[in-house]
Structures are given as C-alpha cells and as structure tokens.
Amino acid sequence: MHRFDERFLHVDMDAFFVEVERLRNPRLIDVPVIVGGLGRRGVVASASYEARELGVHSAMPIGEARRLCPNGRFVPPDHGSYLKASERAFALFRSFTPQVESLSVDEAFLDISGLRLHYATPLAVGEALRAEIRNRLGLPASVGIAAVKFVSKLASDSAKPNGLLLIDAGKERAFLHPMPVRRLWGVGEATHAALESLGVATIGDLAAIPEDILVKRLGPSLAAHLSHLAAGEDLREVEPGEGAKSISVEHTYDNDLQSSDEVARALLRLCTRLAGRLHRAGKAGHTLTLKVRYDDFATTTRSETLREPIAAGSAIWDESKVLLERAQIGRRGIRLLGVGVSGLVDAAAPQQLTLEPSSRTVAAETVEKVRKRFGDDSVLPASLIVDRPHKGRGE
Ligand SMILES: [Mg+2]
C-alpha cells in the first residue's frame, strides 16, 4: 500500500467570485470579468484570468482596472451568493474528511491521511476532489498536495488555474528553491527589503545563508521560522475549524463623511445591509465589529461580544452606535466604514425564549422579499429615506 506521505492537501477555488457570477450569467464566460465596487473609490475584489492577463489584480482601484481592461465586464459583488457557494464548497471538502482548516471563503487545508484505505494514492484524492468540485458545484479549483503543510499551498498556487500539483515527499527543496523568497509565509515588505539587502532573492538563496547572519538581521524567531521553511520544514498540522467565520459589509465613500449625521446615516445603511446578508445566510453572530478608516488612511476597529447572538438590523444598529462612540471619531473625515459579525451560529438554532413577538421575524422576512425583488436599497429604515428627496441641501 502507498504510504500516503503526502498528506497535506491545499484546495483553492479559482477566481471564486467571478466563477460564481459566471454560473448564473453564462455571458460572462470567456470574457474578462472584474468583480468589485463600482464607485469612484471601489477596488477589485476578484478578476478572471482573462482580466489578469491584462494586468488586473485584486485590491487594485477599479478605475485602474477600467483603464487596463476597457472591454471588461464589471460586476458589483454579491457576497450573499459567494457565502452560499462557499458553504457548499466546504460541505464538499468535509464529505472527504472532517480534517478541514479554512483559510478564507474559498481556500482550505485538508489532512487526507485518513483516506488511505479509500484511495490508492494522495494524487487520486486530489483528482477525485477536483472532479467533485467541478461536477457538483460547477466551479474550477486548484489543488496542491505535499508532505509539508506550507508546501501544499505553494503547490496549489503553482498549479493555478484549474490544476493539480503533487510535490513528492523529499523533493520539497527542489520545488521551493528557485522560487522568489517573497512567496514564503512571513515575508512581508520589510522582511523582503532586509533579505534583499543580504542578497537573498530566491528561497534557495535564503537556505544558503548562515542562520546567525539572519538572526542579526531579523531577530531569532523570524530567522528560525524562515530557515525552517527554506529547508522545506514545517511542523504545523491541519487545524479543523468552522468554515466561514464572519459576515461583514463595508463601504468606501466617494466623498469623505464629515458631519455626525452623515456618519450615522451611512452606518445605519450598512447595518441594514448586514442584517439582510445575515438573514439570507440564515446566520446570527455573537461578536460585532465596527471598522473606521479616516481620511489619512489610519484605521480603527472596535468590537463587542454580546450575550445573545444578533441578526436583526435594529439590534445591530443599537450596538454599532455604542461602538461608534467608543471609536471617538472627533473631527476627522471618514473614508470607509464597515460593520461585521463573527462567532456565527445558525439563526434557526434554538435560542433562549424571549417575549419578543414573532411578528418581528415576519416583518424581517417581508422586508427581505421586497429587497430581493427591488434591490438592497428598496427598503430602508425611515431615517434613511428622508435623505433622498432632500439630497443636495446643506446638512
Ligand atoms: Mg481562490
């Protein structure tokens, strides 16, 4: 029997948001597609490989993407759909093994050692997983397999798009050493600059440098960490978790928010959107987080963990106002606001009995139905509606 030495599998969906959009709109197939905020300050959330060939990448300002890719199809993100697709993907991963560690909505590590009785080789597991993802979800994914955890992630990166790469146990260094050192975990911009000044360009260069020189430059813990990785060593195991860990919404404003009224209305709008997203996902969350980015790009977050999970817009709004006060905005302009909940539970899960009338839920569902038909902004709390007819008047 095969020894199954290569037991770490990293699976990563290709251009995930774009591919979910293509599932419901086939006209997006085979053309450059960019999913992202369409406002003046929007950024690219996901780009198809056709768009990447033209130089578009995620986190790029949308205006730049339009210049590089004038014939691209630009699509606003629909996170509710992506979350649903993500849950289907993770359910599929877990049908192979419960040993699944989620890295993001579309990416996970699997420890496949428990499958040795079911598959002839680790490669056969990877092929079966990719086939299932393709057949059952209709989505492309790339898979890397290795005997060392972080090597499996670099292998799936190298296999993209829509590929599979297994690095044989013992061959890790031959795979790693020609790669730019930047691809190692823990090599950010500052570390990269320090390594460059030592003449280190590739992972192989890093492996060849005496550790005491690295220690002098990077300190003992980072030096030891990077030396191990460069030697193809990584003792980390797969740590199974829960899948999607938070749901959040944020918005970058075309013009910085200045008055406290403007900020409050923007926040209320976000709370309403977040409630809609939670409702569609059937989730409630225990921890609420507020994110504020100021006009000078300084960013603050404030969180509160609540006794009962929240999902309703009114509850999210009440708690967000408290967090907003704690953020002490003062007179600074605000470029971005975000709210999110983590510690997710199923909204249908039994909760403590309260006297709250069930009509609340009925009302929420009605609102949700209207929104589905007419868009997210069709039903808003009353204080958001007033700013429309008066738009343009001084505030
Ligand atoms: Mg991906």
Side-chain angles (χ1 to χ4, degrees):
M1 185 167 50
H2 191 281
R3 289 178 48 215
F4 253 73
D5 285 332
E6 299 86 5
R7 67 190 173 88
F8 293 98
L9 184 154
H10 180 259
V11 54
D12 189 0
M13 310 300 287
D14 298 326
F16 183 53
F17 297 172
V18 168
E19 296 297 341
V20 173
E21 295 292 344
R22 281 174 169 169
L23 275 184
R24 59 182 168 189
N25 183 358
R27 280 187 296 181
L28 298 176
I29 294 170
D30 291 333
V31 297
V33 178
I34 292 104
V35 173
L38 303 185
R40 191 157 61 81
R41 284 174 170 176
V43 294
V44 175
S46 175
S48 74
Y49 281 84
E50 295 85 354
R52 291 182 204 194
E53 272 171 23
L54 299 169
V56 179
H57 57 77
S58 44
M60 170 183 276
I62 210 85
E64 200 179 335
R66 284 190 194 279
R67 272 197 302 284
L68 289 168
C69 193
N71 299 321
R73 299 286 301 270
F74 289 78
V75 182
D78 172 5
H79 291 282
S81 301
Y82 310 150
L83 195 69
K84 276 190 190 145
S86 170
E87 285 179 348
R88 285 202 301 274
F90 275 84
L92 198 156
F93 303 160
R94 292 198 180 91
S95 73
F96 277 74
T97 169
Q99 299 296 310
V100 174
E101 175 183 342
S102 91
L103 283 179
S104 73
V105 286
D106 74 324
E107 206 183 329
F109 283 115
L110 278 62
D111 180 339
I112 57 171
S113 51
L115 296 173
R116 70 182 70 213
L117 297 178
H118 305 278
Y119 294 88
T121 61
L123 194 65
V125 178
E127 280 165 353
L129 178 64
R130 268 170 38 80
E132 289 275 284
I133 294 172
R134 198 170 46 241
N135 297 339
R136 290 218 261 145
L137 306 180
L139 294 168
S142 295
V143 165
I145 304 173
V148 178
K149 189 178 181 187
F150 85 97
V151 176
S152 70
K153 178 167 164 61
L154 292 179
S156 78
D157 284 351
S158 298
K160 280 187 167 299
N162 205 7
L164 169 64
L165 180 63
L166 180 139
I167 306 301
D168 287 314
K171 301 274 173 62
E172 292 87 2
R173 292 178 202 204
F175 169 64
L176 292 172
H177 284 185
M179 285 186 187
V181 73
R182 192 72 207 252
R183 290 188 60 186
L184 288 180
W185 276 350
V187 178
E189 229 150 89
T191 306
H192 190 228
L195 289 172
E196 262 187 335
S197 74
L198 293 172
V200 172
T202 65
I203 299 176
D205 295 340
L206 179 62
I209 280 213
E211 199 172 324
D212 55 320
I213 294 179
L214 280 184
V215 169
K216 257 184 235 152
R217 205 50 183 262
L218 304 173
S221 63
L222 185 56
H225 174 68
L226 293 181
S227 295
H228 279 125
L229 295 187
E233 296 159 6
D234 181 7
L235 297 177
R236 285 171 290 192
E237 292 290 334
V238 170
E239 289 169 19
E242 286 178 18
K245 291 190 172 73
S246 67
I247 295 181
S248 59
V249 297
E250 63 177 44
H251 191 80
T252 302
Y253 298 96
D254 286 342
N255 300 300
D256 294 333
L257 305 175
Q258 299 290 351
S259 73
S260 53
D261 268 11
E262 271 182 325
V263 174
R265 271 204 301 276
L267 184 60
L268 179 52
R269 197 182 285 270
L270 285 175
C271 293
T272 308
R273 266 177 57 203
L274 178 60
R277 207 172 277 181
L278 283 164
H279 183 75
R280 283 192 286 269
K283 298 286 182 190
H286 270 284
T287 301
L288 182 71
T289 299
L290 171 76
K291 176 174 162 189
V292 182
R293 179 166 299 144
Y294 301 102
D295 46 13
D296 60 357
F297 280 85
T299 306
T300 305
T301 60
R302 291 285 180 277
S303 293
E304 183 69 50
T305 297
L306 308 155
R307 279 186 53 222
E308 298 293 324
I310 55 173
S314 54
I316 294 172
W317 166 233
D318 286 343
E319 298 297 337
S320 297
K321 279 187 290 190
V322 177
L323 294 178
L324 186 66
E325 265 167 42
R326 276 174 42 201
Q328 292 188 315
I329 286 159
R331 299 196 146 275
R332 286 183 281 181
I334 291 180
R335 184 184 169 83
L336 173 150
L337 275 179
V339 280
V341 292
S342 51
L344 296 180
V345 295
D346 287 341
Q351 283 167 21
Q352 245 181 314
L353 280 176
T354 66
L355 293 175
E356 191 175 17
S358 59
S359 60
R360 256 284 172 80
T361 320
V362 175
E365 275 170 7
T366 310
V367 164
E368 189 53 35
K369 272 182 204 146
V370 175
R371 264 200 204 111
K372 258 197 191 135
R373 253 187 95 181
F374 300 108
D376 260 354
D377 281 347
S378 56
V379 178
L380 295 170
S383 63
L384 281 184
I385 296 170
V386 295
D387 74 340
R388 294 186 153 182
H390 296 291
K391 211 168 188 177
R393 287 220 212 135
E395 288 176 355

